[in-house]
Amino acid sequence: MAMKYMKKSFSKMEPYHSALITDGIVINANESPYLPPKKVIDIINEEAKKIEFNRYPDMDERELDAAIAKHYGIKPTQVTVGVGSDELLDVMFRCVLEPGDTVLGFSPSFSMYQVFTELVGGTYIPVYGDQNMIFSIDTMIEKIKEYKPKMVLICTPNNPTGQFIEEADIRRVIESTDALIALDLAYIDFAKCDYAKIALEYDNVISFKTFSKAMALPSIRCGYAISKEGNIDMLNAVKAPYSVTTYSQIAAKAAIDNFDLYKDQIEKIKNTRDVLYKSLKEMGFNVYPSESNFLYVLMDKKYYDALTNNKIYIRRFKDGVYRISIGTDSDNKAILEVLKNA
Ligand code: PMP
């Protein structure tokens, strides 16, 4: 049966699937190659024993909000938690946009921004980079003046190109408009600094972060937003009640309480990234500088095919355009070996 009950405006949508790969090197989803630190896992396992399975989770995620607030030195009322940052982004789009409203975002960027925009009948306007695919803040500010969007999405470091936008440039965008600026900081723990807290200095900014990347916990589906109380209340007003499970709240709290223990593995991923970047450059590949846990590479399809045939699974956007998530040093060796032979 085709999607018989799907409304007309959604008829082009397709179910989203991803292959379940159990064998080989899986570096297609920007996951960490490492488990969380042992102490974090031990705390999660201990706390999980105390879960009252017959009770709903704490709807207001009080302990987790407090732990995130403590980490940043902010108030728990300036934080909310969702089922991945995906849930909170989705909620924000539904809260802010009326059908026909415009959203701006750099392109290429996280594909869900366009999906969320179109789900509520908005129009997504991509702002492209220069010939080297470098995004320009001046261009973004010009486009904001031209299109007068309701919302602007900025992913930094950007998925999939890896570009980090400096705090001063982010402030220029924020101060140029009344539009809501969504700062997607999913990968910022791999960059030189985390400026999530600037959301508290302005009325028009929400920062989004996730436990799925540097915190190595995509399995628990947990992300959070930081903003002034009014924006946090807006998200909480529309978010599904009890969406974040008790287990996720426990696990995320264990991670953020022990953020310092992640420092070594984050450094390791950054080093592995820099080694892979340098090696690919030396081999003549068209690879982009990245402050994240992935590299964006434009290369002939034959290299992608060779990697896949050797059970090394990277992300393909279209023929010639790929993203390699950073794995271990031995993953690097395997990748480089295959590419050399191809
Ligand atoms: N933002 C960006 C830029 C991402 O790449 C992702 C994950 N692919 C997300 C948000 C969503 O992450 P999660 O829902 O796992 O928190």
mmCIF file of all heavy atoms in Angstrom, residues 29-30 82-87 89 109-110 112-113 155-159 184-187 208-213 217-218 221-224 294 323, ligand 1:
data_model
loop_
_atom_site.group_PDB
_atom_site.id
_atom_site.type_symbol
_atom_site.label_atom_id
_atom_site.label_comp_id
_atom_site.label_asym_id
_atom_site.label_seq_id
_atom_site.Cartn_x
_atom_site.Cartn_y
_atom_site.Cartn_z
ATOM 1 N N ALA A 29 28.329 8.240 10.325
ATOM 2 C CA ALA A 29 27.300 8.959 11.092
ATOM 3 C C ALA A 29 27.882 9.864 12.175
ATOM 4 O O ALA A 29 27.171 10.237 13.119
ATOM 5 C CB ALA A 29 26.319 7.963 11.702
ATOM 6 N N ASN A 30 29.151 10.216 12.041
ATOM 7 C CA ASN A 30 29.797 11.109 13.009
ATOM 8 C C ASN A 30 29.694 10.620 14.451
ATOM 9 O O ASN A 30 29.581 11.411 15.387
ATOM 10 C CB ASN A 30 29.241 12.532 12.894
ATOM 11 C CG ASN A 30 29.501 13.126 11.522
ATOM 12 O OD1 ASN A 30 30.354 12.634 10.788
ATOM 13 N ND2 ASN A 30 28.767 14.171 11.165
ATOM 14 N N GLY A 82 15.905 17.367 25.254
ATOM 15 C CA GLY A 82 15.015 16.692 24.304
ATOM 16 C C GLY A 82 15.563 15.345 23.861
ATOM 17 O O GLY A 82 16.685 14.966 24.226
ATOM 18 N N VAL A 83 14.755 14.647 23.070
ATOM 19 C CA VAL A 83 15.157 13.351 22.512
ATOM 20 C C VAL A 83 16.112 13.637 21.355
ATOM 21 O O VAL A 83 15.716 13.760 20.197
ATOM 22 C CB VAL A 83 13.918 12.558 22.038
ATOM 23 C CG1 VAL A 83 14.342 11.199 21.497
ATOM 24 C CG2 VAL A 83 12.949 12.390 23.181
ATOM 25 N N GLY A 84 17.370 13.795 21.702
ATOM 26 C CA GLY A 84 18.348 14.296 20.749
ATOM 27 C C GLY A 84 18.094 15.780 20.536
ATOM 28 O O GLY A 84 17.007 16.295 20.872
ATOM 29 N N SER A 85 19.089 16.494 19.985
ATOM 30 C CA SER A 85 18.789 17.891 19.645
ATOM 31 C C SER A 85 17.782 17.928 18.510
ATOM 32 O O SER A 85 17.089 18.919 18.312
ATOM 33 C CB SER A 85 20.049 18.695 19.327
ATOM 34 O OG SER A 85 20.937 17.963 18.543
ATOM 35 N N ASP A 86 17.648 16.818 17.782
ATOM 36 C CA ASP A 86 16.622 16.724 16.733
ATOM 37 C C ASP A 86 15.234 17.112 17.254
ATOM 38 O O ASP A 86 14.509 17.852 16.595
ATOM 39 C CB ASP A 86 16.521 15.281 16.212
ATOM 40 C CG ASP A 86 17.481 15.010 15.055
ATOM 41 O OD1 ASP A 86 18.017 15.966 14.492
ATOM 42 O OD2 ASP A 86 17.671 13.826 14.737
ATOM 43 N N GLU A 87 14.867 16.588 18.416
ATOM 44 C CA GLU A 87 13.521 16.890 18.930
ATOM 45 C C GLU A 87 13.377 18.389 19.204
ATOM 46 O O GLU A 87 12.362 19.006 18.853
ATOM 47 C CB GLU A 87 13.199 16.110 20.215
ATOM 48 C CG GLU A 87 11.763 16.405 20.679
ATOM 49 C CD GLU A 87 11.391 15.902 22.070
ATOM 50 O OE1 GLU A 87 12.288 15.670 22.910
ATOM 51 O OE2 GLU A 87 10.178 15.783 22.330
ATOM 52 N N LEU A 89 15.113 20.916 17.938
ATOM 53 C CA LEU A 89 15.097 21.699 16.690
ATOM 54 C C LEU A 89 13.702 21.629 16.060
ATOM 55 O O LEU A 89 13.121 22.654 15.681
ATOM 56 C CB LEU A 89 16.139 21.153 15.704
ATOM 57 C CG LEU A 89 17.607 21.454 16.035
ATOM 58 C CD1 LEU A 89 18.561 20.541 15.262
ATOM 59 C CD2 LEU A 89 17.933 22.918 15.736
ATOM 60 N N SER A 109 24.509 22.208 4.635
ATOM 61 C CA SER A 109 24.522 22.090 6.083
ATOM 62 C C SER A 109 23.642 20.915 6.481
ATOM 63 O O SER A 109 23.311 20.085 5.629
ATOM 64 C CB SER A 109 24.067 23.406 6.722
ATOM 65 O OG SER A 109 24.379 23.437 8.099
ATOM 66 N N PHE A 110 23.247 20.848 7.737
ATOM 67 C CA PHE A 110 22.484 19.704 8.244
ATOM 68 C C PHE A 110 21.125 19.652 7.529
ATOM 69 O O PHE A 110 20.354 20.615 7.581
ATOM 70 C CB PHE A 110 22.315 19.883 9.752
ATOM 71 C CG PHE A 110 21.669 18.728 10.462
ATOM 72 C CD1 PHE A 110 21.920 17.415 10.095
ATOM 73 C CD2 PHE A 110 20.818 18.961 11.529
ATOM 74 C CE1 PHE A 110 21.332 16.355 10.780
ATOM 75 C CE2 PHE A 110 20.225 17.918 12.215
ATOM 76 C CZ PHE A 110 20.483 16.616 11.833
ATOM 77 N N MET A 112 18.336 18.338 7.981
ATOM 78 C CA MET A 112 17.054 18.385 8.690
ATOM 79 C C MET A 112 16.483 19.801 8.792
ATOM 80 O O MET A 112 15.280 19.973 8.975
ATOM 81 C CB MET A 112 17.181 17.780 10.096
ATOM 82 C CG MET A 112 17.428 16.284 10.116
ATOM 83 S SD MET A 112 16.220 15.347 9.139
ATOM 84 C CE MET A 112 14.750 15.492 10.149
ATOM 85 N N TYR A 113 17.339 20.832 8.665
ATOM 86 C CA TYR A 113 16.807 22.205 8.766
ATOM 87 C C TYR A 113 15.752 22.439 7.678
ATOM 88 O O TYR A 113 14.705 23.025 7.920
ATOM 89 C CB TYR A 113 17.909 23.262 8.623
ATOM 90 C CG TYR A 113 19.087 23.116 9.559
ATOM 91 C CD1 TYR A 113 20.357 23.546 9.178
ATOM 92 C CD2 TYR A 113 18.940 22.574 10.831
ATOM 93 C CE1 TYR A 113 21.451 23.429 10.024
ATOM 94 C CE2 TYR A 113 20.038 22.441 11.680
ATOM 95 C CZ TYR A 113 21.285 22.874 11.263
ATOM 96 O OH TYR A 113 22.364 22.754 12.100
ATOM 97 N N CYS A 155 25.093 26.287 11.839
ATOM 98 C CA CYS A 155 25.708 25.079 12.390
ATOM 99 C C CYS A 155 27.214 25.322 12.411
ATOM 100 O O CYS A 155 27.816 25.555 11.374
ATOM 101 C CB CYS A 155 25.373 23.905 11.477
ATOM 102 S SG CYS A 155 26.031 22.341 12.044
ATOM 103 N N THR A 156 27.802 25.296 13.595
ATOM 104 C CA THR A 156 29.236 25.575 13.702
ATOM 105 C C THR A 156 29.850 24.718 14.799
ATOM 106 O O THR A 156 29.327 24.740 15.910
ATOM 107 C CB THR A 156 29.506 27.087 13.935
ATOM 108 O OG1 THR A 156 30.848 27.228 14.458
ATOM 109 C CG2 THR A 156 28.560 27.738 14.917
ATOM 110 N N PRO A 157 30.882 23.922 14.488
ATOM 111 C CA PRO A 157 31.387 23.631 13.153
ATOM 112 C C PRO A 157 30.282 23.024 12.288
ATOM 113 O O PRO A 157 29.443 22.276 12.788
ATOM 114 C CB PRO A 157 32.503 22.614 13.392
ATOM 115 C CG PRO A 157 32.869 22.739 14.837
ATOM 116 C CD PRO A 157 31.650 23.194 15.543
ATOM 117 N N ASN A 158 30.356 23.360 10.997
ATOM 118 C CA ASN A 158 29.247 22.982 10.120
ATOM 119 C C ASN A 158 29.310 21.510 9.698
ATOM 120 O O ASN A 158 30.355 21.025 9.294
ATOM 121 C CB ASN A 158 29.282 23.864 8.866
ATOM 122 C CG ASN A 158 28.114 23.592 7.955
ATOM 123 O OD1 ASN A 158 26.960 23.652 8.380
ATOM 124 N ND2 ASN A 158 28.389 23.269 6.706
ATOM 125 N N ASN A 159 28.161 20.857 9.808
ATOM 126 C CA ASN A 159 28.004 19.518 9.230
ATOM 127 C C ASN A 159 27.405 19.708 7.832
ATOM 128 O O ASN A 159 26.327 20.287 7.736
ATOM 129 C CB ASN A 159 27.050 18.685 10.103
ATOM 130 C CG ASN A 159 26.807 17.302 9.545
ATOM 131 O OD1 ASN A 159 27.506 16.860 8.645
ATOM 132 N ND2 ASN A 159 25.797 16.629 10.072
ATOM 133 N N ASP A 184 23.465 25.731 16.092
ATOM 134 C CA ASP A 184 23.569 24.287 16.260
ATOM 135 C C ASP A 184 25.025 23.943 16.553
ATOM 136 O O ASP A 184 25.878 23.971 15.664
ATOM 137 C CB ASP A 184 23.064 23.580 14.998
ATOM 138 C CG ASP A 184 22.995 22.071 15.203
ATOM 139 O OD1 ASP A 184 23.650 21.568 16.127
ATOM 140 O OD2 ASP A 184 22.285 21.408 14.418
ATOM 141 N N LEU A 185 25.287 23.630 17.814
ATOM 142 C CA LEU A 185 26.666 23.423 18.276
ATOM 143 C C LEU A 185 26.946 21.947 18.531
ATOM 144 O O LEU A 185 27.721 21.592 19.425
ATOM 145 C CB LEU A 185 26.901 24.263 19.540
ATOM 146 C CG LEU A 185 26.523 25.748 19.414
ATOM 147 C CD1 LEU A 185 26.735 26.482 20.743
ATOM 148 C CD2 LEU A 185 27.327 26.436 18.309
ATOM 149 N N ALA A 186 26.318 21.087 17.731
ATOM 150 C CA ALA A 186 26.430 19.636 17.947
ATOM 151 C C ALA A 186 27.894 19.179 18.011
ATOM 152 O O ALA A 186 28.223 18.235 18.722
ATOM 153 C CB ALA A 186 25.694 18.883 16.838
ATOM 154 N N TYR A 187 28.765 19.865 17.260
ATOM 155 C CA TYR A 187 30.156 19.393 17.142
ATOM 156 C C TYR A 187 31.155 20.340 17.809
ATOM 157 O O TYR A 187 32.357 20.224 17.593
ATOM 158 C CB TYR A 187 30.517 19.225 15.654
ATOM 159 C CG TYR A 187 29.615 18.224 14.971
ATOM 160 C CD1 TYR A 187 28.495 18.637 14.261
ATOM 161 C CD2 TYR A 187 29.875 16.867 15.079
ATOM 162 C CE1 TYR A 187 27.651 17.715 13.661
ATOM 163 C CE2 TYR A 187 29.032 15.934 14.483
ATOM 164 C CZ TYR A 187 27.926 16.372 13.772
ATOM 165 O OH TYR A 187 27.089 15.457 13.185
ATOM 166 N N PHE A 208 21.975 24.915 20.640
ATOM 167 C CA PHE A 208 21.603 23.498 20.724
ATOM 168 C C PHE A 208 22.867 22.656 20.861
ATOM 169 O O PHE A 208 23.825 22.846 20.094
ATOM 170 C CB PHE A 208 20.852 23.059 19.463
ATOM 171 C CG PHE A 208 19.519 23.719 19.329
ATOM 172 C CD1 PHE A 208 19.397 24.947 18.689
ATOM 173 C CD2 PHE A 208 18.389 23.137 19.871
ATOM 174 C CE1 PHE A 208 18.168 25.579 18.579
ATOM 175 C CE2 PHE A 208 17.144 23.755 19.770
ATOM 176 C CZ PHE A 208 17.037 24.979 19.125
ATOM 177 N N LYS A 209 22.839 21.735 21.814
ATOM 178 C CA LYS A 209 23.965 20.798 21.947
ATOM 179 C C LYS A 209 23.421 19.376 22.095
ATOM 180 O O LYS A 209 22.230 19.183 22.279
ATOM 181 C CB LYS A 209 24.841 21.189 23.140
ATOM 182 C CG LYS A 209 25.644 22.472 22.864
ATOM 183 C CD LYS A 209 26.875 22.583 23.736
ATOM 184 C CE LYS A 209 27.902 21.513 23.447
ATOM 185 N NZ LYS A 209 29.095 21.647 24.343
ATOM 186 N N THR A 210 24.340 18.408 22.026
ATOM 187 C CA THR A 210 23.883 17.014 22.029
ATOM 188 C C THR A 210 24.854 16.135 22.804
ATOM 189 O O THR A 210 26.042 16.455 22.909
ATOM 190 C CB THR A 210 23.755 16.498 20.578
ATOM 191 O OG1 THR A 210 23.357 15.127 20.627
ATOM 192 C CG2 THR A 210 25.047 16.603 19.795
ATOM 193 N N PHE A 211 24.318 15.045 23.338
ATOM 194 C CA PHE A 211 25.169 14.027 23.961
ATOM 195 C C PHE A 211 25.633 12.992 22.940
ATOM 196 O O PHE A 211 26.315 12.042 23.286
ATOM 197 C CB PHE A 211 24.404 13.342 25.109
ATOM 198 C CG PHE A 211 24.222 14.248 26.293
ATOM 199 C CD1 PHE A 211 23.088 15.034 26.433
ATOM 200 C CD2 PHE A 211 25.209 14.337 27.271
ATOM 201 C CE1 PHE A 211 22.933 15.893 27.507
ATOM 202 C CE2 PHE A 211 25.069 15.193 28.354
ATOM 203 C CZ PHE A 211 23.928 15.977 28.468
ATOM 204 N N SER A 212 25.246 13.168 21.663
ATOM 205 C CA SER A 212 25.482 12.116 20.653
ATOM 206 C C SER A 212 26.886 12.117 20.062
ATOM 207 O O SER A 212 27.268 11.136 19.437
ATOM 208 C CB SER A 212 24.498 12.289 19.489
ATOM 209 O OG SER A 212 23.171 12.225 19.920
ATOM 210 N N LYS A 213 27.629 13.208 20.181
ATOM 211 C CA LYS A 213 28.889 13.315 19.435
ATOM 212 C C LYS A 213 30.096 13.190 20.375
ATOM 213 O O LYS A 213 30.526 12.096 20.653
ATOM 214 C CB LYS A 213 28.905 14.629 18.653
ATOM 215 C CG LYS A 213 27.647 14.830 17.786
ATOM 216 C CD LYS A 213 27.475 13.768 16.726
ATOM 217 C CE LYS A 213 26.175 13.967 15.946
ATOM 218 N NZ LYS A 213 25.922 12.880 15.007
ATOM 219 N N LEU A 217 27.355 9.306 23.293
ATOM 220 C CA LEU A 217 26.133 8.646 23.770
ATOM 221 C C LEU A 217 24.953 8.772 22.791
ATOM 222 O O LEU A 217 23.828 9.043 23.219
ATOM 223 C CB LEU A 217 25.738 9.254 25.138
ATOM 224 C CG LEU A 217 26.554 8.812 26.347
ATOM 225 C CD1 LEU A 217 26.242 9.705 27.566
ATOM 226 C CD2 LEU A 217 26.270 7.353 26.706
ATOM 227 N N PRO A 218 25.164 8.531 21.498
ATOM 228 C CA PRO A 218 24.012 8.637 20.593
ATOM 229 C C PRO A 218 22.920 7.624 20.922
ATOM 230 O O PRO A 218 21.750 7.843 20.608
ATOM 231 C CB PRO A 218 24.617 8.383 19.204
ATOM 232 C CG PRO A 218 25.883 7.646 19.456
ATOM 233 C CD PRO A 218 26.392 8.139 20.779
ATOM 234 N N ARG A 221 19.867 9.042 22.851
ATOM 235 C CA ARG A 221 19.054 10.070 22.202
ATOM 236 C C ARG A 221 18.757 11.228 23.152
ATOM 237 O O ARG A 221 17.624 11.382 23.630
ATOM 238 C CB ARG A 221 17.734 9.481 21.657
ATOM 239 C CG ARG A 221 17.891 8.345 20.701
ATOM 240 C CD ARG A 221 18.680 8.713 19.428
ATOM 241 N NE ARG A 221 18.069 9.782 18.671
ATOM 242 C CZ ARG A 221 18.676 10.947 18.418
ATOM 243 N NH1 ARG A 221 19.904 11.192 18.849
ATOM 244 N NH2 ARG A 221 18.074 11.858 17.712
ATOM 245 N N CYS A 222 19.745 12.040 23.380
ATOM 246 C CA CYS A 222 19.540 13.156 24.303
ATOM 247 C C CYS A 222 20.312 14.388 23.830
ATOM 248 O O CYS A 222 21.490 14.290 23.472
ATOM 249 C CB CYS A 222 20.011 12.744 25.706
ATOM 250 S SG CYS A 222 19.431 13.849 26.987
ATOM 251 N N GLY A 223 19.623 15.510 23.797
ATOM 252 C CA GLY A 223 20.264 16.767 23.443
ATOM 253 C C GLY A 223 19.664 17.869 24.310
ATOM 254 O O GLY A 223 18.702 17.630 25.050
ATOM 255 N N TYR A 224 20.231 19.072 24.247
ATOM 256 C CA TYR A 224 19.688 20.145 25.074
ATOM 257 C C TYR A 224 19.815 21.499 24.397
ATOM 258 O O TYR A 224 20.570 21.675 23.442
ATOM 259 C CB TYR A 224 20.328 20.176 26.469
ATOM 260 C CG TYR A 224 21.842 20.298 26.505
ATOM 261 C CD1 TYR A 224 22.471 21.528 26.718
ATOM 262 C CD2 TYR A 224 22.647 19.172 26.360
ATOM 263 C CE1 TYR A 224 23.856 21.631 26.779
ATOM 264 C CE2 TYR A 224 24.032 19.264 26.412
ATOM 265 C CZ TYR A 224 24.623 20.497 26.624
ATOM 266 O OH TYR A 224 25.991 20.593 26.673
ATOM 267 N N PHE A 294 34.788 15.029 11.637
ATOM 268 C CA PHE A 294 34.607 14.476 10.290
ATOM 269 C C PHE A 294 35.341 15.352 9.295
ATOM 270 O O PHE A 294 35.707 16.500 9.609
ATOM 271 C CB PHE A 294 33.114 14.392 9.917
ATOM 272 C CG PHE A 294 32.369 15.680 10.157
ATOM 273 C CD1 PHE A 294 32.461 16.738 9.260
ATOM 274 C CD2 PHE A 294 31.596 15.848 11.293
ATOM 275 C CE1 PHE A 294 31.801 17.929 9.480
ATOM 276 C CE2 PHE A 294 30.927 17.046 11.534
ATOM 277 C CZ PHE A 294 31.027 18.085 10.626
ATOM 278 N N ARG A 323 31.580 12.412 3.165
ATOM 279 C CA ARG A 323 32.018 12.831 4.505
ATOM 280 C C ARG A 323 32.567 11.609 5.229
ATOM 281 O O ARG A 323 31.895 10.577 5.292
ATOM 282 C CB ARG A 323 30.824 13.414 5.276
ATOM 283 C CG ARG A 323 31.205 14.046 6.618
ATOM 284 C CD ARG A 323 29.956 14.346 7.455
ATOM 285 N NE ARG A 323 29.290 13.118 7.816
ATOM 286 C CZ ARG A 323 27.996 13.007 8.121
ATOM 287 N NH1 ARG A 323 27.225 14.064 8.144
ATOM 288 N NH2 ARG A 323 27.466 11.835 8.425
HETATM 289 N N1 PMP B 1 22.664 18.887 14.457
HETATM 290 C C1 PMP B 1 23.613 18.421 13.641
HETATM 291 C C2 PMP B 1 24.434 19.386 12.888
HETATM 292 C C3 PMP B 1 23.802 17.035 13.491
HETATM 293 O O1 PMP B 1 24.742 16.598 12.643
HETATM 294 C C4 PMP B 1 22.993 16.154 14.227
HETATM 295 C C5 PMP B 1 23.150 14.670 14.129
HETATM 296 N N2 PMP B 1 23.425 14.133 12.928
HETATM 297 C C6 PMP B 1 22.015 16.698 15.054
HETATM 298 C C7 PMP B 1 21.884 18.067 15.156
HETATM 299 C C8 PMP B 1 21.074 15.841 15.822
HETATM 300 O O2 PMP B 1 21.746 15.153 16.818
HETATM 301 P P1 PMP B 1 20.985 14.373 17.945
HETATM 302 O O3 PMP B 1 19.531 14.343 17.596
HETATM 303 O O4 PMP B 1 21.606 13.024 17.959
HETATM 304 O O5 PMP B 1 21.242 15.138 19.196
#
